[in-house]
Amino acid sequence: MAKISAVLDRIFQVAVERDGYFAASDVRAEGVADAELYRLMARGDIERVNRGVYRLARFPTSPNGDLWAALLWAQPALLSHVTALRVHGVLEDPTPFVDLTVPSDSRLRKEAPPQYRLHPADVADGDRTTVSGLAVTSLRRSILEVFVEGSIDRAQLRAATQTALERGLLDQASGEQMLRLLGSADLF
């Protein structure tokens, strides 16, 4: 087995960009064995967050920790729907759920934790972005997903769209198009 400090250094290189979170599969690719992970857990250096997802115990707590844990659990996934609107900063929603879009051909071999809502779909590159390092669906796509799903009140979604437009997060044409759509009669 490698020296503990060397193993922690390899894990740190992976976890530093993710607020201290990492997937076992990612550090295995860096040469860290499962036995070393168990040893680090026993020592209190890392904490198990989800199946296959860990956190460096001494890393500062992150307000996005639950989002990192979800993304790493379901990788390759994107935060989407209501969660994406929260990440984009246009909606304050206290829901405990994390919406994740996973590839339509994804074969997760594990049961989703109850706080995760999985949405199978293939997302084009133009509908993907990152916010604070987190992989999320674009704001435009997120608004459309929530509109079609009807998961929040139309007035709340209109207000989120208006906020996005005012902050310059949507271009004028897209924002106005979204507001017209949201102001129209139910189409679905």
Side-chain angles (χ1 to χ4, degrees):
M1 275 199 215
K3 223 176 165 177
I4 286 289
S5 61
V7 173
L8 281 170
D9 284 347
R10 286 192 302 242
I11 291 173
F12 182 82
Q13 294 306 315
V14 172
V16 70
E17 298 295 323
R18 302 170 178 173
D19 292 345
Y21 290 80
F22 64 94
S25 58
D26 294 335
V27 295
R28 275 189 210 112
E30 298 297 318
V32 177
D34 287 344
E36 292 168 320
L37 289 177
Y38 293 126
R39 194 167 85 177
L40 291 170
M41 260 194 338
R43 287 173 33 110
D45 292 318
I46 64 173
E47 304 165 338
R48 183 176 183 264
V49 179
N50 275 335
R51 182 179 175 174
V53 179
Y54 300 86
R55 178 185 171 283
L56 290 168
R58 292 186 183 97
F59 211 86
T61 304
S62 168
N64 292 329
D66 60 329
L67 303 177
W68 280 112
L71 280 173
L72 293 168
W73 176 84
Q75 63 182 328
L78 296 163
L79 299 171
S80 61
H81 296 74
V82 173
T83 303
L85 294 178
R86 280 194 342 247
V87 171
H88 282 288
V90 298
L91 180 71
E92 289 188 28
D93 180 59
T95 182
F97 297 105
V98 176
D99 291 296
L100 295 157
T101 294
V102 296
S104 59
D105 63 354
S106 179
R107 301 279 186 255
L108 293 173
R109 293 176 289 165
K110 48 201 168 194
E111 188 175 330
Q115 70 271 25
Y116 297 170
R117 292 189 293 207
L118 302 180
H119 306 274
D122 296 318
V123 180
D125 289 344
D127 286 333
R128 297 168 177 265
T129 190
T130 57
V131 176
S132 300
L134 298 162
V136 298
T137 51
S138 69
L139 189 50
R140 185 176 190 285
R141 180 183 174 110
S142 302
I143 292 167
L144 289 172
E145 288 170 335
V146 171
F147 173 71
V148 169
E149 188 178 78
S151 53
I152 64 170
D153 179 71
R154 176 92 52 102
Q156 196 177 10
L157 187 55
R158 249 187 96 72
T161 304
Q162 185 65 46
T163 298
L165 193 53
E166 289 166 3
R167 292 182 185 167
L169 301 173
L170 283 174
D171 64 75
Q172 196 68 32
S174 291
E176 289 173 2
Q177 179 186 35
M178 293 283 148
L179 288 172
R180 279 193 306 275
L181 176 68
L182 294 171
S184 66
D186 287 330
L187 301 175
F188 301 98

